[in-house]
């Protein structure tokens, strides 16, 4: 792992040491949530490690990240940045454990647990050959997140009565001659005389089950975690495959009143003062000069604000008496978004009397009436400043997270239920667009959009039943509707267009969809830790004259795809068949840009079908 860049350090994202029995390397704090989070494998030179649970992290010096709205919905007291202790001190940062355990030597070709190679301290090399060892390329995982080494011994000795490791007295050998790029060139043998077999077929869905191999329920990322009973069929995965770790993340925008004024000052001292009485808080404010740069506020106002935060922290939310994630998790998400939607629809200009603001939302100069009449846009707002908090709650393996997932199938990031979650904050800018409600309601009640929406919803429900036949959790009502598909596809085509017109890479732009009976808007924004976060290029796209040009250009591009007519006539496309007219040549975005894993998309919602059986919203 390479150290964090100087720019990352300047922006408050210093490198975080990842430790096992020794210091392994450094990753950026944001990567410990988005890329190398708890339960993810991380390569360090010629070794491989698994990031341990947050209950093993040293958080004594980890800064707090406060976002009350998000904390309330995730039922935690708050958030912390991943720890970044002083590397000169003998303190653990984020701990890791060696995984996979199986390694091979490229010289003698032995395939065995790492400890049996008797490597010198701090190195991963064969004590006999002095060659660098290679961690196993293959692991075994299930859809509930359990993870273990690939059962090489059973794979080689299949068909024999006794296949327990070591029973035959032989040693496994690993050979990859590189004669072909297929798994046929990767062969495993045993010195007991068992016939050498290739890894071909190991990735079939039923390959391990056919050998009688079941999931053992192992959770090696959690220290001292007992094995769970698991009926999920195990699958073979490549160690570096993206299917090994899918983060389940949640985010929220900082909106008034929490983004400014006395609430923002409270955020800086709340952790220290939340359990103190009013007299102590007043003394602390005086001694520490907390309000030195904010003379417009008083200690009594700070005391009152801390009291409000305490009440919000202890008050039960919907279903808060349950130990599990609520069945209405999607409803909680919609409620979170509804608060943001209300703020985005109102003007919040920059003020000089409230200290630093994390949320500045203004109307553009010039009239948007031409956009309303010709394109059906009801409102355009420019977010000149925004703050977003992104938190890691859990993760999945094998299958991507779905809006209708049973939370019980998410793998935990700590052995006990945590009262905090790892998170990071980013700042940026964006443009909010709201569609005209009357025109939208008239369009979404037409037979064509309803039929295509039902087709996507049916595909989604079939997928969920295939993944978990015992679950009766429905697809959330706010998803797979004509309104949601329209807003989602519109966000994608605009991101593609603005990346061309504004000079931003598409991966630097993100979408946020506000779709519901009382919501019909999209926020396209950039909120990153590098210089692409706040250059003003996205706000410039919201100028009515420029927006008219780019909007029409985006719709024109959406009318034709290099994969047409196959793309437009598709009955099911994309990941798991949850799109209709949408593919990599026209609509799909980098995974970092889409909050819905590039599913629930359909160009026909924008521009209709060539045979006019379905009219798009912008055809009217």
């Amino acid at each position: 792992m390479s150290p964090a860049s100087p720019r990352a350090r300047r922006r408050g994202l210093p490198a975080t040491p990842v430790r096992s029995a020794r210091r392994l390397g450094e990753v950026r704090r944001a990567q410990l949530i988005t890329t190398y989070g708890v339960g993810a494998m991380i390569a360090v030179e010629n070794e491989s490690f698994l990031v341990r649970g947050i209950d093993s992290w040293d958080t004594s010096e980890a800064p707090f990240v406060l976002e009350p709205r998000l904390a309330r919905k995730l039922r935690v007291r708050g958030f912390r940045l991943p720890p970044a202790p002083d590397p000169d001190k003998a303190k653990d940062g984020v701990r890791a454990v060696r995984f996979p355990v199986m390694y091979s030597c490229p010289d003698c070709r032995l395939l065995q647990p790492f400890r049996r190679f008797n490597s010198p301290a701090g190195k991963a090399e064969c004590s006999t050959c002095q060659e660098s060892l290679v961690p196993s390329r293959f692991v075994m995982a299930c859809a509930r997140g359990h993870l273990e080494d690939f059962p090489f011994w059973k794979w080689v000795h299949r068909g024999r009565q006794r296949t327990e490791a070591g029973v035959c007295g032989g040693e496994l050998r690993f050979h990859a001659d590189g004669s072909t790029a297929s798994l046929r060139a990767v062969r495993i043998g045993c010195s007991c005389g068992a016939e050498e077999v290739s890894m071909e077929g190991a990735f079939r869905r039923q390959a391990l089950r056919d050998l009688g191999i079941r999931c053992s329920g192992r959770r090696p990322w959690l220290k001292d975690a007992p094995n769970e009973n698991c009926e999920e069929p195990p699958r073979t995965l490549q160690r570096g495959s993206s299917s090994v770790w899918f983060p389940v993340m949640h985010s929220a925008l900082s909106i008034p009143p929490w983004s400014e004024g006395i609430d923002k000052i409270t955020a800086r001292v709340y952790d220290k003062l939340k359990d103190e009485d009013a007299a102590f808080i007043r003394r602390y404010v005086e001694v520490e000069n907390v309000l030195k740069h904010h003379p417009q506020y008083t200690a009594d106002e700070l005391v009152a604000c801390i009291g409000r935060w305490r009440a919000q922290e202890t008050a039960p939310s919907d279903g808060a008496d349950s130990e599990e994630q609520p069945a209405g998790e999607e409803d909680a998400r919609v409620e979170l978004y509804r608060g943001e939607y209300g703020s985005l629809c109102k003007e919040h200009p920059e003020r000089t009397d409230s200290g630093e603001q994390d949320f500045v939302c203004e109307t553009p100069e010039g009239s948007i009436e031409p956009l309303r009449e010709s394109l059906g846009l009801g409102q355009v707002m420019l977010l000149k400043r925004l703050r977003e908090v992104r938190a890691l709650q859990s993760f999945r393996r094998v299958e991507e997270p779905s809006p209708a997932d049973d939370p019980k199938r998410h793998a935990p990031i700590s052995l006990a239920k945590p009262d905090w979650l790892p998170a990071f904050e980013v700042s940026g800018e964006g443009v909010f667009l709201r569609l005209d409600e009357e025109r939208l309601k008239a369009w979404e009640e037409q037979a064509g959009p309803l039929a295509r929406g039902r087709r996507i919803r049916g595909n989604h429900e079939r997928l969920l039943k295939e993944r978990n036949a015992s679950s009766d959790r429905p697809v959330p009502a706010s998803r797979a509707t004509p309104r949601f598909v329209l807003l989602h596809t519109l966000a994608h085509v605009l991101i593609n267009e603005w990346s061309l017109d504004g000079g931003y890479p598409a991966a630097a732009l993100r979408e946020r969809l506000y779709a519901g009976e009382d919501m019909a808007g999209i926020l396209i924004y950039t909120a990153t830790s590098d210089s692409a976060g706040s250059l003003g290029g996205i706000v410039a796209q919201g100028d009515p004259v420029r927006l008219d040009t780019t909007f029409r250009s985006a719709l024109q591009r959406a009318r034709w795809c290099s994969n047409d007519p196959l793309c437009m006539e598709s009955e099911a496309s994309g990941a798991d068949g949850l799109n209709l007219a949408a593919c990599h040549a026209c609509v799909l975005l980098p995974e970092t840009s889409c909050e819905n894993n590039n599913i629930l998309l359909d160009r026909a919602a924008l521009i209709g079908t060539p045979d006019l059986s379905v009219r798009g919203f912008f055809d009217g």
Side-chain angles (χ1 to χ4, degrees), residues 76-135:
V76 293
R77 299 185 66 180
F79 308 98
R80 287 180 181 267
L81 283 173
D86 188 339
D88 296 328
K89 297 179 181 179
K91 288 187 177 181
D92 291 327
V94 175
R95 295 189 67 86
V97 61
R98 186 180 300 281
F99 192 89
V101 174
M102 298 295 286
Y103 277 65
S104 63
C105 173
D107 191 6
C108 64
R109 297 179 181 173
L110 269 177
L111 175 64
Q112 60 187 8
F114 176 81
R115 67 180 182 277
R116 294 180 59 185
F117 283 102
N118 297 318
S119 298
K123 294 185 179 181
E125 66 177 38
C126 179
S127 59
T128 303
C129 310
Q130 282 75 53
E131 288 287 338
S132 295
L133 299 176
V134 179

Side-chain angles (χ1 to χ4, degrees), residues 35-64:
T35 310
Y36 303 121
V38 174
M41 278 179 280
I42 183 168
V44 182
E45 297 178 351
N46 64 316
E47 300 176 80
S48 177
F49 297 88
L50 192 67
V51 178
R52 272 263 168 94
I54 62 173
D55 43 11
S56 69
W57 295 8
D58 176 14
T59 58
S60 59
E61 299 182 20
F64 277 86

Side-chain angles (χ1 to χ4, degrees), residues 220-234:
W221 66 94
L222 298 178
K223 186 177 181 180
D224 301 327
N227 292 354
E228 295 184 317
N229 293 326
C230 182
E231 300 299 326
E232 289 286 338

Side-chain angles (χ1 to χ4, degrees), residues 462-477:
R462 282 193 295 273
L463 173 67
L464 293 175
K465 289 181 179 179
E466 290 174 3
R467 287 184 174 181
N468 187 11
S470 62
S471 175
D472 58 355
R473 293 174 65 88
V475 176

Side-chain angles (χ1 to χ4, degrees), residues 69 255 331-344 514-519:
R69 296 170 57 248
I255 59 174
D331 295 332
R333 187 196 72 86
V334 171
E335 183 180 343
L336 189 74
Y337 277 38
R338 185 173 286 113
E340 296 174 5
Y341 185 77
S343 293
L344 290 167
Y514 300 92
E517 293 183 0
D518 54 350
M519 296 189 293

Side-chain angles (χ1 to χ4, degrees), residues 75 316-323:
R75 300 178 181 184
S317 58
D318 297 337
D321 56 341
S322 171
E323 290 297 324

Side-chain angles (χ1 to χ4, degrees), residues 64 66 77 265-288 290-291 299 302-307 309-310 313:
F64 277 86
L66 285 170
R77 299 185 66 180
I265 299 171
T266 301
R268 297 170 183 161
V269 298
Y270 181 69
D271 185 59
K272 295 179 181 179
L273 303 178
K274 60 184 178 182
D275 297 323
E276 306 295 343
D277 58 25
F280 181 91
I281 295 174
R282 292 189 184 96
R283 287 197 301 272
Y284 182 90
V285 170
E286 181 180 354
V287 172
E288 297 295 332
V290 173
L291 301 176
L302 185 63
V303 169
C305 189
I306 290 176
W309 282 39
R310 283 178 185 153
E313 192 174 83

Side-chain angles (χ1 to χ4, degrees), residues 435-444 483 486 520 617:
L435 298 184
D436 182 84
E437 287 281 354
E438 293 185 5
R439 180 169 169 175
L440 178 58
K441 289 180 179 179
W443 172 81
E444 64 186 356
R483 177 176 297 210
L486 168 66
F617 178 80

